[in-house]
Amino acid sequence: MNDGEMKNSKDLDKSMGPTETTRLRPRLETFDDVLPYVGDNGRYQWLLLLALAPFGVIYAFLYFSQFFITITPKEYWCKIDELVEANFTEEERIRLSIPKAVEYPYYDRCHQKDLNFADILNSGKDLHSLEANRTVGCNRWEYNFTQVPYASVATELDWVCDREYLISTAQAIFFCGSILGGFIIGWIADHKGRIPALMVCNSLGLLGSVATASANSFWSFAFCRFLTGLAYDNCIDIPLIIVLEYMAVEKRTLVVNVAFGLYFAVASTVLPWMAYYIANWRYFTYVSALPLLSVFITPWILPESARWYVSNGKLDKVVEKLRKIARINRVNPDPRIYQEFTSNFETSSRKHDTATVFDLFKTPRLARNTVLLVFFWSLTVICFDGHVYSLKLIQSSVFVSFSLACFTELPAGLLLALLLDRWGRRLCGFLTLAMTCMFSIAELLLVSMPAKLAMSVMSRFCLNMAANIGLQYAAELLPTPVRSQGVSLIHIFGIVAHSITPYIVDTAAIWQGLPMLIISTASFMGAMLVLFLPETLGQSLPQTIKQGEEFGNDQSFWSLPQRKKSHFNGLAHYHSCER
């Protein structure tokens, strides 16, 4: 703009009067207001997406590694030492000592014939001609390692039959560690900073993962998994919140559904084959812990949350961060934007808006939204984990079926990236859980194993999208002062759901279709509840508790999502006036 145009612009401002000028020239008083001036979709943001990679891998490995550390083959039977020492084949040992059954694997896995095999072998009697009217429980087991080519901790310690609950209990203890970690890490994140919290989180995860390989009893294993569980959830929540805060509003979906979806999809798809080819649960534990070594470079690949600086009144850090973003994005904004941002912030009450997680429940609308987010996430978790653990109930290679199900993460993320900013979070959340309900019912009713596997994979495809929506919804809907604590609270309830889901899958012992019936009911309930949440598409993140309470007041239940252009038009006008 030349001198004449500048003079005309100033004269125009004077003629408009203070009211119109104020209305058309937005105040730079929030981080969202000033970020577009230094670049909210440039090189800096793409580097952040790249930096998210190790944390997506960590999340996948922590989430799924215990499944393969404790996996047991479908075929196992009582170990009879006398028959093993007599060099009978596996088929002969099963035929001679194990009662038959009508369901796969067509023999009783938990009982043996009540015979004195030592005396029979010493007497020279023909075992093939002997029958037993009674059975007794097993003390030790043999396993067929054809499909699962290694002995897990569960098979080494015989966590089968009446001890099978120990697998589910160990998984529940892992998630109990995550509950405690949610409180501890969430508090550190809100009071000491996101990066220190993330480093503490991943350090605990690394220690627990390495220690797991030395476990030789249930309680030592459970303690190590509890320690590892302290890192679960926060290992991805914190990086995700940081990256979302530095992204343009219209690019948030890209972060969750493409970048995170890509890293998580690749890691979880590869993980089963790592376990398969390493073929040693202790070595597998060491290898799956390697991504946690990124803790040593975390401060150099991820920035501290600028909004955390804003919430704590550290304006010098915020301005320093904004200048760095502008430099990396090769943008030269007017230096006056930093001065105006600082001035507006210092005169605003926002710097006094400190809060705790209890503030989420002090106002009715914000409390309702928080409760709905809790239920939406918890029910999604039950359905997601239920389908993960139910893969072992399907008569197919668990490594193939697990890999196929995880592979759906990437196309689900890509599809959701296309739909989420058109249809909105609420409608997409409803559709994905409603379709999960239908596919789960189909899996319950179908008899063919390939058809059951297909329905399970399709359910997982929908649940991948529902989980990504849940991750993004909480990060967008909760106000900045309690965002980290609020997300942690929601995920703590989700972790309770994680803890009970293995036992839901264990109800297959009562009726084979009961797990799918429970999962389909949970997905239907989640689909209904998400309709009562406000839409966040195209909205600026709420910066204060008051904004969180008022968020969505202008929306009706039947309103369709739409992008708000006025905010961006105002920024464009402000650029032209200050140039």
Side-chain angles (χ1 to χ4, degrees):
M1 183 180 292
N2 57 37
D3 293 340
E5 291 172 328
M6 181 72 76
K7 183 177 184 300
N8 290 337
S9 176
K10 291 179 180 179
D11 291 341
L12 181 61
D13 282 349
K14 291 178 181 178
S15 65
M16 289 167 57
T19 301
E20 289 183 84
T21 303
T22 303
R23 177 172 57 83
L24 291 176
R25 294 175 56 152
R27 293 171 60 85
L28 296 180
E29 57 185 19
T30 71
F31 189 74
D32 276 334
D33 292 336
V34 73
L35 183 61
Y37 290 92
V38 298
D40 56 7
N41 186 28
R43 295 173 67 234
Y44 186 81
Q45 282 71 30
W46 286 103
L47 289 173
L48 286 185
L49 291 182
L50 184 62
L52 198 59
F55 305 101
V57 174
I58 289 170
Y59 182 60
F61 283 11
L62 287 180
Y63 196 169
F64 295 130
S65 62
Q66 191 161 325
F67 183 92
F68 297 99
I69 293 172
T70 61
I71 193 172
T72 58
K74 295 183 179 68
E75 298 182 17
Y76 53 88
W77 58 92
C78 297
K79 184 176 183 180
I80 312 297
D81 290 328
E82 294 83 358
L83 299 183
V84 174
E85 293 169 359
N87 293 324
F88 285 96
T89 64
E90 286 184 356
E91 292 77 8
E92 290 174 327
R93 295 198 293 272
I94 294 171
R95 186 170 64 253
L96 295 174
S97 64
I98 308 300
K100 294 181 180 179
V102 296
E103 295 181 350
Y104 178 84
Y106 309 112
Y107 56 79
D108 191 328
R109 295 183 292 185
C110 301
H111 297 85
Q112 66 181 58
K113 294 177 181 178
D114 187 14
L115 296 172
N116 191 325
F117 294 98
D119 290 346
I120 295 172
L121 288 173
N122 289 333
S123 66
K125 294 180 181 179
D126 183 10
L127 281 171
H128 296 82
S129 62
L130 296 177
E131 291 295 333
N133 296 323
R134 295 194 310 164
T135 62
V136 294
C138 307
N139 294 319
R140 298 169 61 200
W141 283 262
E142 291 186 81
Y143 302 88
N144 183 345
F145 292 112
T146 301
Q147 289 193 335
V148 180
Y150 62 92
S152 67
V153 63
T155 55
E156 284 186 5
L157 300 177
D158 286 333
W159 295 347
V160 292
C161 295
D162 59 348
R163 289 165 55 86
E164 189 173 7
Y165 74 94
L166 293 177
I167 297 176
S168 298
T169 302
Q171 190 71 60
I173 289 172
F174 169 83
F175 289 121
C176 286
S178 185
I179 294 175
L180 180 61
F183 284 111
I184 296 174
I185 305 301
W187 184 89
I188 295 173
D190 280 332
H191 291 81
K192 304 298 180 182
R194 283 18 171 187
I195 296 302
L198 185 59
M199 294 183 69
V200 171
C201 166
N202 287 353
S203 296
L204 291 171
L206 179 62
L207 176 62
S209 295
V210 171
T212 297
S214 302
N216 54 14
S217 68
F218 171 77
W219 289 112
S220 62
F221 181 81
F223 174 76
C224 293
R225 298 314 295 170
F226 180 85
L227 191 62
T228 307
L230 293 171
Y232 176 72
D233 239 19
N234 289 288
C235 67
I236 189 61
D237 285 345
I238 295 173
L240 194 60
I241 288 172
I242 289 174
V243 176
L244 279 173
E245 289 179 348
Y246 282 98
M247 294 294 293
V249 172
E250 67 271 17
K251 296 297 181 182
R252 293 184 213 150
T253 302
L254 176 69
V255 178
V256 179
N257 301 300
V258 177
F260 171 65
L262 173 64
Y263 305 141
F264 184 82
V266 172
S268 56
T269 302
V270 169
L271 186 67
W273 302 108
M274 288 172 52
Y276 185 88
Y277 288 108
I278 293 174
N280 183 300
W281 75 268
R282 298 180 192 272
Y283 292 158
F284 170 71
T285 302
Y286 288 132
V287 173
S288 62
L290 289 177
L292 286 159
L293 292 173
S294 63
V295 65
F296 297 111
I297 60 172
T298 295
W300 289 274
I301 63 175
L302 274 184
E304 182 55 85
S305 166
R307 285 189 176 88
W308 182 82
Y309 285 141
V310 169
S311 296
N312 287 271
K314 299 184 178 182
L315 295 187
D316 56 333
K317 295 288 187 180
V318 179
V319 172
E320 179 184 339
K321 183 62 63 180
L322 289 169
R323 293 183 186 278
K324 180 178 180 181
I325 295 172
R327 185 172 65 254
I328 294 177
N329 284 340
R330 297 174 183 173
V331 175
N332 296 309
D334 191 321
R336 287 177 292 177
I337 68 167
Y338 306 121
Q339 299 171 6
E340 180 161 350
F341 170 68
T342 302
S343 175
N344 290 341
F345 181 85
E346 288 175 346
T347 59
S348 171
S349 61
R350 184 169 286 106
K351 65 178 180 178
H352 301 295
D353 190 13
T354 58
T356 69
V357 70
F358 299 106
D359 289 275
L360 289 170
F361 301 96
K362 290 182 178 179
T363 53
R365 186 176 182 83
L366 185 56
R368 188 201 68 173
N369 289 342
T370 303
V371 171
L372 288 173
L373 286 171
V374 165
F375 276 102
F376 174 51
W377 180 250
S378 299
L379 292 170
T380 300
V381 164
I382 287 175
C383 299
F384 190 97
D385 277 9
H387 276 283
V388 169
Y389 299 135
S390 293
L391 290 172
K392 64 183 181 182
L393 302 177
I394 301 176
Q395 293 180 28
S396 64
S397 169
V398 69
F399 297 93
V400 173
S401 58
F402 195 98
S403 191
L404 281 175
C406 290
F407 183 75
T408 63
E409 185 79 42
L410 180 56
L414 293 173
L415 178 61
L416 194 59
L418 296 175
L419 298 180
L420 201 57
D421 284 342
R422 290 178 172 83
W423 295 1
R425 283 60 164 150
R426 185 174 58 173
L427 179 59
C428 287
F430 168 77
L431 291 176
T432 52
L433 287 182
M435 292 176 68
T436 297
C437 178
M438 292 189 293
F439 288 130
S440 298
I441 292 173
E443 183 177 347
L444 172 63
L445 298 177
L446 293 172
V447 177
S448 167
M449 283 302 117
K452 281 182 174 290
L453 179 58
M455 292 300 100
S456 180
V457 171
M458 291 305 298
S459 295
R460 177 66 181 277
F461 178 81
C462 294
L463 285 167
N464 289 333
M465 291 189 283
N468 287 355
I469 294 168
L471 283 170
Q472 187 164 341
Y473 228 148
E476 290 180 346
L477 197 53
L478 299 180
T480 296
V482 288
R483 183 167 295 135
S484 183
Q485 291 182 72
V487 169
S488 294
L489 176 68
I490 291 168
H491 284 252
I492 284 167
F493 280 97
I495 291 162
V496 174
H498 279 301
S499 302
I500 66 175
T501 305
Y503 297 108
I504 291 176
V505 177
D506 288 347
T507 61
I510 302 172
W511 174 47
Q512 193 74 11
L514 189 53
M516 279 301 110
L517 180 60
I518 296 173
I519 291 169
S520 59
T521 303
S523 57
F524 175 80
M525 293 172 60
M528 294 298 104
L529 289 175
V530 74
L531 292 175
F532 293 91
L533 284 169
E535 181 56 62
T536 61
L537 175 60
Q539 307 291 323
S540 295
L541 300 180
Q543 300 290 315
T544 66
I545 297 296
K546 182 180 179 181
Q547 289 178 5
E549 169 64 16
E550 296 173 350
F551 192 91
N553 264 336
D554 56 340
Q555 301 178 20
S556 68
F557 183 83
W558 303 106
S559 62
L560 294 176
Q562 59 182 352
R563 293 178 181 272
K564 290 189 175 181
K565 299 295 184 182
S566 58
H567 174 72
F568 302 106
N569 291 340
L571 289 177
H573 175 81
Y574 188 81
H575 271 299
S576 66
C577 290
E578 288 296 307
R579 196 170 300 159

